Amino acid sequence: MAMTVMIQEAGGPEVLKLSDREVGAPGPGEVRIAHKACGLNFIDTYQRSGLYPLALPHALGMEAAGVIEAVGEGVTHLKPGDRGAYAATPPGAYSEARVMPAAQVCPLPDGISFEEAAAMMLKGMTVEYLFHRTTPIAKGDTVLFHAAAGGVGLIACQWARSEGITLIGTAGTDEKCALALEHGATHCINYRSEDWAARVQELTGGTGVDVVMDAVGADTFEGSLNSLMPLGMMISFGNASGPVPPFNLGVLGQKGSLKLTRPTLFTHIADRASCQEMADHLFGKVLSGDVKIRIDQRFPLRDVRAAHEALEARKTTGSTILQI
């Protein structure tokens, strides 16, 4: 039996319930993993609220790290006793142990702790695809990144610095802006005290940025489009303020033949080889010291409701983990 966080219905943090579940043995292409730490991500709140519907009842959680207890037939890249980490579907990482598909579980290098791994797999591989698999970004380019002091944001700030990319961040307090700057942002704008879109134009001499990376959604969408240079790329990869409402595609032409995409990590990591390649790139950044994983909040698994409340109230910085 393993303690697991389940939802019986969509709703607020109050629908998160702990239950004991039978774990069982892994089938073909599966592993059983005993978790040491689990990650917390905004996608978890989308699934809990029903924005991203799940077949109910369902367990939650998309990333974790731990020790492989058993492997099913056909699994060759892992064996019992190995350290492993993942970002993967289906949800179920908020648990002491689980059986899951093995393809997205990556061997974890000894130089990276379980807590670091649980805090970085989903966020770090998201940054990897944003900078390397969505649109060409080269040294000297300028990127606008919203929520720059969050878990994804602080990794993005460091990643950009390591590759000579100018990153203009936004955050909701002066303290969060200072944190983003400390981690490699070239500039950071407090969106509560400044007109951030106008400030982006000032910082770029009126030309706009090459790429916008926006996980905020509805609140920042229009300003993000207005921050792009002609032929610029808007990457909308999240909905922290709610989904972007329908809009007229002709606006992209009017604003300078802009490009718009809505990618997800899980498309990129669906292939086992691509997933491992992305994880290896991330591991290399961390092991080299180019990227340090900042964990600012730790909650016991049983306090998952408080963790969700803190995340949705934007009271968190860096990454948040659930301790097993």
Side-chain angles (χ1 to χ4, degrees):
M1 303 295 285
M3 184 168 65
T4 303
V5 177
M6 302 284 297
I7 59 169
Q8 302 291 327
E9 60 184 343
E14 71 280 356
V15 303
L16 297 165
K17 306 294 184 185
L18 290 171
S19 63
D20 283 326
R21 300 179 75 199
E22 189 70 43
V23 179
E30 294 181 331
V31 296
R32 187 173 70 233
I33 183 169
H35 291 146
K36 300 296 185 182
C38 311
L40 181 74
N41 295 282
F42 251 103
I43 191 173
D44 306 343
T45 70
Y46 304 157
Q47 292 169 340
R48 188 210 68 222
S49 70
L51 178 64
Y52 293 178
L54 297 174
L56 300 174
H58 211 294
L60 287 187
M62 305 294 282
E63 70 177 339
V67 176
I68 305 302
E69 293 187 319
V71 302
E73 181 184 349
V75 176
T76 59
H77 68 288
L78 294 164
K79 64 183 184 303
D82 282 354
R83 304 167 80 245
Y86 66 86
T89 56
Y94 292 178
S95 61
E96 293 176 322
R98 69 183 293 199
V99 167
M100 64 178 292
Q104 282 69 46
V105 182
C106 299
L108 179 63
D110 289 339
I112 299 174
S113 72
F114 290 119
E115 287 197 347
E116 287 173 319
M120 78 183 203
M121 291 300 288
L122 191 148
K123 303 168 191 69
M125 289 197 293
T126 294
V127 171
E128 203 275 351
Y129 86 68
L130 289 173
F131 280 86
H132 296 277
R133 297 169 192 268
T134 308
T135 191
I137 303 175
K139 182 177 181 179
D141 284 352
T142 300
V143 168
L144 171 62
F145 199 102
H146 293 296
V152 179
L154 291 184
I155 295 173
C157 289
Q158 296 173 83
W159 203 290
R161 177 172 60 186
S162 76
E163 301 196 349
I165 295 162
T166 297
L167 187 144
I168 302 172
T170 69
T173 67
D174 290 343
E175 292 76 16
K176 287 186 175 184
C177 283
L179 193 59
L181 292 169
E182 176 189 331
H183 283 73
T186 313
H187 310 279
C188 195
I189 306 163
N190 183 339
Y191 64 79
R192 296 189 190 279
S193 61
E194 290 191 77
D195 180 338
W196 60 266
R199 181 68 176 135
V200 168
Q201 292 300 321
E202 289 179 21
L203 290 170
T204 60
T207 64
V209 301
D210 297 275
V211 179
V212 176
M213 299 175 180
D214 187 343
V216 174
D219 288 354
T220 51
F221 184 73
E222 184 175 356
S224 291
L225 290 180
N226 292 337
S227 297
L228 283 166
M229 65 174 60
L231 304 177
M233 169 64 86
M234 166 75 168
I235 307 174
S236 176
F237 69 103
N239 318 281
S241 67
V244 175
F247 83 109
N248 179 359
L249 277 175
V251 170
L252 299 178
Q254 297 163 14
K255 292 182 181 293
S257 300
L258 304 180
K259 292 165 282 188
L260 169 65
T261 185
R262 180 44 172 106
T264 73
L265 172 64
F266 301 104
T267 306
H268 286 279
I269 64 173
D271 175 72
R272 158 89 198 122
S274 295
C275 180
Q276 189 65 58
E277 182 180 83
M278 293 171 69
D280 287 343
H281 196 177
L282 173 62
F283 294 154
K285 288 283 189 183
V286 174
L287 291 170
S288 71
D290 282 344
V291 171
K292 293 180 170 60
I293 305 303
R294 183 179 176 119
I295 302 170
D296 285 345
Q297 297 81 212
R298 290 173 171 84
F299 294 85
L301 183 62
R302 66 183 67 258
D303 291 341
V304 62
R305 175 176 175 174
H308 271 236
E309 289 171 344
L311 183 65
E312 290 185 295
R314 303 193 184 189
K315 293 181 178 178
T316 64
T317 55
S319 294
T320 301
I321 62 166
L322 301 173
Q323 298 171 309
I324 306 300

